[in-house]
């Protein structure tokens, strides 16, 4: 079987910079803080989805990726490729780290629809793919779900890319999640809202606010006004797209501790939720999911980021909120 171009098989893509999937508009990077531009270069959430004809025994991916240094204790695990079918991980293949290589993943008999999650932290770029003993075709396109947030949305402390809450909820809802989470970011940067307004999608979720407690300290009044401005900018390009805002999840150290401007995370969360409720009076497609009840201390890996069970709980809550609201686009 000859090599196939990857573009029809890639999902979770936002923008492209040459042959690289990126998560911020490459023509508009100068308006973004450097840390967000840096995180946006990683293809978080980008995956390969395909249909394998009966008789296909494996899929091969030709790719390039960053090579971890020789002293990296987890070097042998850095180039991990996970094969999924529906809600199940069928196998993981750990390729020998190399700047350019080919990895083979064996498929179960009978064919079907499959997803490959590449090692996103190594900035992989898939050059081509091909079937072994059979044929491949692109998986059906699903409604695009734009999910913007901070490191929690990016998937921090989930043990695998496929375990982040956007990935888990996307599988459950039959959506194509586009992960626009930026570790350390999502502090109310309005240029990101403008970029999001220009990005095609059938559903939008915003999940941010915890970095407005300490990384870029905010007051409740500032955050209330910022949420209103952020949603207003998004609505310029998505006037009728369902938009769900998830307020910050539990962060025990911040709930009742005042930041440099005198605000607790509890007060900031309330300001965000009040802004959404104010706007929703005239915007019935704007939805709110309060984040505080979603997680307990036992669901946090480090007092801030969810563990796998925490990500799964967030995914279930977001999926339930979208289902019950009637906001889900037709598949």
């Amino acid at each position: 079987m000859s090599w196939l171009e990857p573009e029809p098989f890639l999902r979770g893509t936002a923008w492209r910079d040459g042959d690289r999937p990126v998560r911020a508009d490459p023509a508009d990077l100068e308006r973004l803080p450097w840390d967000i531009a840096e995180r946006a270069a990683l293809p978080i959430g980008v995956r390969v989805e395909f249909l394998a004809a009966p008789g296909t025994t494996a899929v091969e991916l030709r790719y390039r990726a960053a090579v971890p240094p020789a002293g990296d204790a987890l070097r042998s695990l850095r180039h991990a490729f996970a094969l999924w079918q529906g809600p199940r991980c069928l196998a993981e293949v750990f390729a020998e780290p190399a700047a350019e290589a080919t990895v083979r993943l064996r498929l179960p008999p009978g064919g079907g629809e499959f997803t490959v999650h590449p090692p996103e932290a190594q900035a992989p770029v898939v050059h081509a793919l091909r079937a072994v003993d059979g044929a491949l075709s692109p998986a059906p396109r699903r409604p695009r779900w734009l999910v913007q947030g901070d490191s929690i949305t990016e998937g921090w402390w989930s043990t695998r890319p496929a375990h982040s809450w956007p990935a888990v909820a996307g599988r459950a809802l039959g959506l194509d999640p586009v992960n626009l989470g930026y570790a350390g970011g999502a502090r109310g940067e309005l240029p990101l809202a403008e970029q999001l307004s220009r990005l095609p999608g059938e559903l939008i979720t915003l999940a941010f606010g915890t970095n407005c407690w300490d990384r870029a300290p905010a007051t409740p009044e500032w955050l209330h006004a910022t949420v209103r401005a952020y949603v207003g900018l998004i609505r310029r390009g998505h006037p009728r797209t369902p938009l769900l805002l998830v307020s910050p999840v539990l962060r025990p150290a911040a709930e009742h501790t005042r930041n440099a401007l005198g605000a607790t995370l509890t007060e900031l969360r309330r300001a965000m939720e009040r802004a959404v409720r104010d706007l929703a009076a005239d915007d019935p497609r704007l939805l709110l999911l309060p984040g505080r009840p979603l997680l307990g201390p036992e669901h946090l890996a480090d007092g801030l980021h969810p563990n796998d069970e925490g990500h799964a709980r967030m995914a279930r809550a977001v999926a339930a909120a979208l289902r019950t609201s009637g906001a889900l686009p037709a598949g």
Side-chain angles (χ1 to χ4, degrees):
M1 184 71 179
S2 60
W3 289 103
L4 302 170
E5 290 292 325
E7 181 63 28
F9 297 87
L10 294 180
R11 301 294 183 269
T13 58
W15 293 270
R16 297 186 73 85
D17 186 3
D19 64 352
R20 295 187 307 127
V22 293
R23 300 182 302 123
D25 186 348
D28 192 25
L29 288 183
E30 72 278 2
R31 294 198 300 150
L32 300 181
W34 71 267
D35 57 343
I36 291 178
E38 185 177 75
R39 297 305 300 181
L42 293 177
I44 305 297
V46 175
R47 58 212 182 275
V48 178
E49 297 189 354
F50 59 91
L51 298 173
T56 307
T57 59
V59 60
E60 290 185 339
L61 303 181
R62 194 172 72 223
Y63 69 96
R64 76 172 188 266
V67 178
D72 188 336
L74 299 178
R75 177 185 170 90
S76 62
L77 306 179
R78 295 299 188 195
H79 283 203
F81 291 78
L83 177 70
W84 283 69
Q85 186 173 38
R88 295 190 305 124
C89 180
L90 302 181
E92 289 185 312
V93 173
F94 298 92
E96 179 65 25
E100 296 198 22
T102 298
V103 64
R104 176 178 288 197
L105 297 100
R106 295 196 61 82
L107 303 178
E113 184 172 344
F114 301 92
T115 298
V116 175
H117 290 267
E120 55 191 25
Q122 301 305 119
V125 175
V126 177
H127 289 308
L129 69 160
R130 67 181 177 185
V132 177
D133 300 324
L136 304 178
S137 58
R141 293 281 181 181
R142 304 185 190 282
R144 275 165 55 94
W145 177 29
L146 310 179
V147 190
Q148 193 177 81
D150 49 33
S151 56
I152 295 172
T153 297
E154 198 177 71
W156 277 39
W157 299 130
S158 61
T159 56
R160 296 292 189 274
H163 294 168
S164 71
W165 73 260
V168 175
R171 283 195 299 274
L173 296 172
L175 300 174
D176 174 13
V178 178
N179 190 312
L180 303 173
Y182 312 105
R187 305 174 293 255
E189 301 87 351
L190 297 182
L192 285 176
E194 291 185 298
Q195 291 191 13
L196 190 57
S197 75
R198 300 191 296 265
L199 194 61
E202 288 75 54
L203 180 66
I204 299 171
T205 294
L206 305 176
F208 69 96
T210 196
N211 287 330
C212 297
W213 175 71
D214 61 344
R215 192 171 177 89
T219 65
E221 295 78 14
W222 181 90
L223 195 52
H224 182 275
T226 297
V227 169
R228 292 180 64 96
Y230 209 95
V231 172
L233 287 172
I234 292 172
R235 283 295 186 226
R236 294 177 66 184
H238 293 279
R240 290 176 294 279
T241 304
L243 194 164
L244 171 70
L245 186 141
V246 184
S247 63
V249 297
L250 172 69
R251 185 175 179 179
E255 293 297 330
H256 304 294
T257 302
R258 300 202 174 275
N259 66 11
L261 295 177
T264 67
L265 184 60
T266 297
E267 292 168 343
L268 295 174
R269 183 186 295 114
R270 288 172 180 164
M272 293 184 70
E273 293 173 356
R274 187 171 68 255
V276 175
R277 293 188 179 104
D278 291 347
L279 290 170
D282 298 311
D283 186 350
R285 293 178 180 269
L286 179 61
L287 312 167
L288 171 67
L289 176 60
R292 174 60 183 85
L294 303 186
L295 303 179
E298 68 276 17
H299 305 126
L300 301 175
D302 60 356
L304 170 59
H305 301 96
N307 53 27
D308 279 348
E309 176 54 28
H311 277 280
R313 288 177 65 91
M314 287 189 67
R316 289 194 292 269
V318 170
L322 291 172
R323 285 193 185 103
T324 58
S325 69
L328 288 176

